[in-house]
Amino acid sequence: GDSVTQMEGPVTLSEEAFLTINCTYTATGYPSLFWYVQYPGEGLQLLLKATKADDKGSNKGFEATYRKETTSFHLEKGSVQVSDSAVYFCALSMIYNQGGKLIFGQGTELSVKP
Amino acid sequence: GAVVSQHPSWVICKSGTSVKIECRSLDFQATTMFWYRQFPKQSLMLMATSNEGSKATYEQGVEKDKFLINHASLTLSTLTVTSAHPEDSSFYICSARLSGPVNEQYFGPGTRLTVT
């Protein structure tokens, strides 16, 4: 079945370091891909999305490119801040299958130290 | 835009009682809402898909008689945990789907349920 795999955390970085969180997926069709962020004790916030191959989603300095050939959607940021500390979830959705459910990766905890 | 609220944000109830959690889409209409459960340090587990005006679709292993879902309007879905037990203690999160081909979902802030 469809699935999402993320790199394991926690990831600990110093402020202004470069961030990469790997995400790969398995899907039978052409999914939409998402990154969500969850701050402690809160729900999820949509960070960025991409709907087709080679699309690049971007928001708040974060970027991810939909790579069909490698079935990947890695999250990157050039210079992280302490306020970026959170759990990041990669997800896919097949709108015409399964009622549009989101399938999540296991989440990657990011901790940024000053 | 695309704001989803949940109420209450936290609740403590005694074992054997029922508790209702509301999920509202504040600035858009949502024909489909989803209910998730999240354990500490884990990902979200989809419990059910709630469609306005029809019965909810439950994921395998989720007791539909225990977790009652009602989606009576385009902006409100409710989850009622009936005869709650301590093992039902968890973080419950809802999401509402924005109409369109991309399936953007917007999440509520979550409800922390503690059953004593």
Side-chain angles (χ1 to χ4, degrees):
Chain A
D2 300 339
S3 66
V4 175
T5 302
Q6 290 179 234
M7 65 185 284
E8 288 196 20
V11 173
T12 302
L13 295 173
S14 297
E15 206 165 21
E16 299 184 1
F18 184 86
L19 168 71
T20 299
I21 300 178
N22 290 337
C23 170
T24 57
Y25 67 90
T26 301
T28 52
Y30 301 96
S32 294
L33 301 173
F34 306 85
W35 277 100
Y36 283 88
V37 58
Q38 184 178 33
Y39 298 100
E42 298 184 10
L44 274 66
Q45 298 176 27
L46 177 63
L47 183 59
L48 53 83
K49 67 180 186 290
T51 59
K52 61 183 186 298
D54 299 325
D55 266 2
K56 177 186 281 188
S58 61
N59 186 26
K60 300 181 181 179
F62 291 90
E63 293 183 340
T65 300
Y66 189 145
R67 301 285 188 202
K68 183 168 175 287
E69 63 276 13
T70 54
T71 61
S72 65
F73 193 54
H74 305 321
L75 182 68
E76 297 182 335
K77 186 175 186 183
S79 176
V80 293
Q81 305 300 313
V82 173
S83 57
D84 294 327
S85 298
V87 180
Y88 292 82
F89 291 94
C90 184
L92 70 79
S93 174
M94 303 290 288
I95 184 67
Y96 297 114
N97 293 332
Q98 303 178 41
K101 293 188 293 190
L102 280 172
I103 296 172
F104 286 95
Q106 68 270 40
T108 302
E109 183 179 1
L110 170 66
S111 176
V112 181
K113 306 296 185 187
Chain B
V3 178
V4 177
S5 70
Q6 274 184 248
H7 178 79
S9 55
W10 60 270
V11 58
I12 301 172
C13 71
K14 292 189 176 181
S15 191
T17 62
S18 296
V19 61
K20 181 186 285 188
I21 302 170
E22 292 185 349
C23 176
R24 292 181 186 273
S25 56
L26 297 185
D27 51 2
F28 66 101
Q29 293 184 331
T31 54
T32 304
M33 292 184 174
F34 300 86
W35 286 96
Y36 297 85
R37 186 173 179 177
Q38 186 179 34
F39 293 102
K41 302 288 188 180
Q42 294 190 23
S43 189
L44 281 71
M45 182 191 80
L46 179 65
M47 299 175 65
T49 302
S50 168
N51 292 298
E52 187 265 339
S54 64
K55 289 184 179 180
T57 303
Y58 290 82
E59 295 299 300
Q60 193 171 5
V62 177
E63 298 176 62
K64 60 181 180 182
D65 294 331
K66 180 169 187 60
F67 298 101
L68 300 179
I69 291 172
N70 184 277
H71 193 157
S73 78
L74 288 172
T75 59
L76 173 65
S77 177
T78 60
L79 167 68
T80 301
V81 183
T82 62
S83 187
H85 291 284
E87 56 265 31
D88 299 325
S89 298
S90 192
F91 194 51
Y92 292 88
I93 305 176
C94 72
S95 71
R97 186 183 137 203
L98 201 61
S99 297
V102 180
N103 188 35
E104 286 186 30
Q105 289 186 29
Y106 290 86
F107 286 77
T111 297
R112 172 75 58 193
L113 170 63
T114 302
V115 184
T116 61

